[in-house]
Amino acid sequence: MVQYNFKKITVVPTGKDFIDIILSRTQRQTPTVVHKGYAISRIRQFYMRKVKYTQQNFHDKLSTIIEEFPRLDDIHPFYGDLLHVLYNKDHFKLALGQINTARNLIGKIAKDYVKLLKYGDSLYRCKSLKVAALGRMCTVIKRVGPSLAYLEQIRQHMARLPSIDPNTRTILICGYPNVGKSSFINKITRADVDVQPYAFTTKSLFVGHTDYKYLRYQVIDTPGILDRPFEDRNIIEMCSITALAHLRAAVLFFLDISGSCGYSIAQQAALFHSIKSLFMNKPLIIVCNKTDLQALEGISEDDMKLVMEMKAEAMKTLIGQGGEPTNDEGVLLTMSTLTEEGVIAVKNAACERLLDQRVELKMKSKKLNDCLNRFHVAMPKPRDQKERPPCIPEAVLEAKDKKAEQAAEKQKKLEKDLENENGGAGVYSASLRKHYILADDEWKEDIMPEILDGHNVYDFVDPDILQRLEELEREEGMRQEQVADDDFEMDGAELTPEEQEALAAIRKKKSLLIQQHRMKKSTAESRPTVPRKFDKDKQFTSERMGRQLSTLGLDPTLAINRARSKSRGRKRERSIDRGDQNGNDDMDLDGNQPNKKLRLRSRSQSRSRSKSRPPYEVVPGEGLKDSAQKKKAVKLAEKSHKNRNKDARKGEADRVIPTLRPKHLFSGKRSTGKTDRR
């Protein structure tokens, strides 16, 4: 279990937000109405309550901040030193101390002003004291504003720290930068650490988890360390030193024997010897990485000598039970994270060494003796030299065999048993067709394709498909015959020679028009029809139509008269009205004077044509009795749409404000009593 969860620390507000939160809560949670006519004791009580409530809110919020941040002296030394490396524990303690001082000052201010309020002689005096008390409290919070901002920055950074349990099984990876530490942790865990071909890609601790022998191990990737004095190391390197110093873990010291990291084996050996004091009493494994570039046997004699010295030092770090160094198996290993050769062997060796050490320490602890005292294993003493092997009666063995046979008969063979009998997983494939119900069992294993010649086979699996196809063809033939009977095509056999020439000219003209239409559609001339008043070229006129009909040998008089009568329907009325305005007598086409009432009625009807119907007028066929019933129906319909319209205003956010002016914020203070409305 991880003991320290820094992600649960409450957000630390800024000084201004802190004041707004407290004063807003005081205004909402305490009475706000007081009058001069009240008794002075009631006025004093009113303002004392304000001061006490504000002080209590400040005290609670500040106490939460102080208690939720970890005490560096009480937590595990690993986290204590890590926080000191990252934030400087003096500044951290100073900020928390200022918050504690502010809490005490606010308590003293409230105490002093409550005493003064007990002797306030008027509403004005009490109110002035209350304002002064709250103002001094806010001033104190403003002064600790930088400390609040500093603690908020620390809280955000601590929330991003990995969750490391200092007491669980841990594998720690260390070494020079760019030697393959992050690549290794990515191979054996699900961690996704950034890997780049330059130094100090990893700038903080990263944690992954792996399993070995049904146990969970945490693997920690540390930033690279350089061989230089302790005082010159930066924060990134100090994170690694802190983890090495305080975590009880198996240490994997990575060694790049190819030199591609930019550092020689001599430099890496010097780093090993400078920090070997941190490896005491810990399982240590020296891992020679990047063997795909350079094999261990191919390095120079000087480098091999340095590697052997490091191996000897690794033997001395962990002392066995009898005071002798442990065996050298698994102290020096080789691998390549690129080809993954030896990666699992290194992981298994580290987990095994760590497990052995933890078991050994537990065997030495007093806790084991407490457990052994609770066990008692009874061992019977021999009474003579005669051997007494276990004896099972024959009847029992026969009954057991008979029972096993009956159970085997009853038990149906499972697919798992068949798989084990026929070579195991990957060799035996279970048949999904053995339980098909078919007329012949031999058909079960027939291969039936789903797609054949580009068609879906199941579209053709229909016993009546031929019969239905014949019916469809017969029905289609009958329809075509009906259509052929209904169509009428003039063949021109019954026409005179003049009529045949006219028909040929019409058909020719029709084909030309079709071709022109197709050309217009295929070009940019495909545009809407132009109204006649914008026909500047006078292409579409009755005279032109008359000339075209005359060339065909037809009389155009009837067609021209019909076109004129259609286009001059309303112009006739306007000319009559215009003549009426000029004082002329109204005459119709026959020279008779029409009835003036009929003319006025026709004019009123034409004008009333554009008037809209009243909203609640009942239209025949709507099924409503009168306008009142229609008005009621319209109102009910609008009311039913109200909820849907309200839901339609919801945005993409989760927070929905159905009413823009909620009643509890705009209806004054609540009196003492029920709060069911909220």
Side-chain angles (χ1 to χ4, degrees), residues 26 29-31 42-56 114 117 130 134 672:
T26 303
Q29 301 290 342
T30 57
R42 184 175 178 184
I43 294 172
R44 289 170 186 162
Q45 189 65 33
F46 176 86
Y47 284 109
M48 280 194 287
R49 182 177 177 182
K50 292 269 188 187
V51 175
K52 285 180 180 177
Y53 191 83
T54 306
Q55 182 267 334
Q56 188 60 42
V114 165
L117 280 168
K130 186 266 296 186
L134 267 59
T672 55

Side-chain angles (χ1 to χ4, degrees), residues 237-249:
E237 294 175 89
M238 287 306 298
C239 291
S240 303
I241 298 297
T242 304
L244 286 169
H246 294 290
L247 291 179
R248 212 171 42 170

Side-chain angles (χ1 to χ4, degrees), residues 559-625:
I560 293 173
N561 290 338
R562 186 170 68 246
R564 284 178 179 172
S565 65
K566 283 185 178 180
S567 62
R568 295 184 181 179
R570 291 183 62 86
K571 282 187 179 180
R572 182 69 183 169
E573 293 180 5
R574 289 173 190 162
S575 64
I576 292 172
D577 295 341
R578 194 179 301 114
D580 193 12
Q581 291 173 0
N582 296 332
N584 299 328
D585 293 335
D586 296 331
M587 302 293 289
D588 60 4
L589 294 174
D590 298 329
N592 300 324
Q593 185 176 3
N595 193 350
K596 192 172 185 180
K597 290 183 180 180
L598 293 174
R599 189 159 32 81
L600 292 175
R601 189 183 303 156
S602 65
R603 191 184 306 167
S604 64
Q605 285 177 357
S606 64
R607 287 180 183 172
S608 65
R609 223 176 272 162
S610 62
K611 290 183 179 179
S612 60
R613 187 180 293 112
Y616 300 116
E617 182 182 343
V618 179
V619 179
E622 282 187 338
L624 298 172
K625 185 171 62 176

Side-chain angles (χ1 to χ4, degrees), residues 11 15-16 25 41 64 86 152 192 239 271 306 319 325 336 436 445 545 551 571 577 584 616 660:
V11 177
K16 186 177 180 301
R25 184 177 295 175
S41 60
T64 302
L86 296 173
E152 172 61 14
D192 188 15
C239 291
L271 172 66
L306 292 173
I319 305 300
S336 171
Y436 282 6
E445 299 301 328
M545 182 178 66
T551 56
K571 282 187 179 180
D577 295 341
N584 299 328
Y616 300 116
L660 298 179

Side-chain angles (χ1 to χ4, degrees), residues 300-514:
S300 63
E301 293 183 2
D302 295 338
D303 291 342
M304 182 62 77
K305 184 178 179 182
L306 292 173
V307 172
M308 290 299 118
E309 289 178 0
M310 293 166 63
K311 180 180 179 182
E313 290 291 339
M315 295 281 296
K316 296 176 184 177
T317 54
L318 190 61
I319 305 300
Q321 291 181 353
E324 295 295 331
T326 56
N327 57 358
D328 60 350
E329 292 181 4
V331 175
L332 180 65
L333 297 175
T334 59
M335 73 167 191
S336 171
T337 53
L338 182 65
T339 61
E340 299 188 13
E341 181 183 355
V343 171
I344 300 301
V346 171
K347 184 198 90 165
N348 294 345
C351 295
E352 195 67 43
R353 294 278 304 272
L354 180 63
L355 198 60
D356 292 344
Q357 190 214 26
R358 288 173 68 89
V359 170
E360 185 180 340
L361 291 176
K362 285 181 180 178
M363 292 296 290
K364 292 179 181 178
S365 64
K366 295 179 181 179
K367 195 179 291 186
L368 184 66
N369 295 328
D370 297 339
C371 295
L372 288 176
N373 292 336
R374 302 175 192 170
F375 299 116
H376 175 67
V377 181
M379 296 297 292
K381 294 181 180 180
R383 56 187 179 183
D384 50 22
Q385 299 298 326
K386 186 177 180 182
E387 291 186 3
R388 292 181 175 84
C391 179
I392 302 175
E394 291 292 333
V396 175
L397 292 175
E398 291 176 1
K400 184 180 178 183
D401 295 340
K402 189 175 181 181
K403 201 171 185 180
E405 289 175 2
Q406 291 175 354
E409 290 177 0
K410 289 182 180 179
Q411 186 178 7
K412 186 180 178 182
K413 269 197 175 183
L414 303 177
E415 288 291 337
K416 190 71 176 175
D417 302 331
L418 293 173
E419 182 181 282
N420 294 333
E421 291 175 4
N422 293 285
V427 178
Y428 173 78
S429 179
S431 175
L432 302 177
R433 305 179 182 182
K434 63 170 64 176
H435 300 298
Y436 282 6
I437 301 174
L438 300 174
D440 189 353
D441 289 341
E442 294 181 357
W443 298 348
K444 289 182 179 179
E445 299 301 328
D446 288 350
I447 298 174
M448 185 172 183
E450 294 183 5
I451 304 296
L452 184 64
D453 297 333
H455 300 288
N456 195 341
V457 173
Y458 283 95
D459 292 343
F460 301 97
V461 181
D462 188 355
D464 303 330
I465 189 168
L466 296 176
Q467 182 181 353
R468 293 181 182 180
L469 186 60
E470 290 176 1
E471 292 177 358
L472 283 174
E473 289 177 350
R474 197 180 310 117
E475 185 179 351
E476 186 69 21
M478 293 171 63
R479 284 188 179 180
Q480 288 179 356
E481 290 175 3
Q482 291 178 359
V483 171
D485 294 342
D486 293 340
D487 288 346
F488 173 73
E489 181 67 27
M490 185 180 290
D491 55 357
E494 301 174 358
L495 300 178
T496 61
E498 293 82 6
E499 289 176 343
Q500 288 180 1
E501 290 178 3
L503 180 61
I506 289 172
R507 286 177 176 173
K508 184 178 180 182
K509 183 65 176 179
K510 183 179 178 182
S511 64
L512 286 173
L513 289 174
I514 290 173

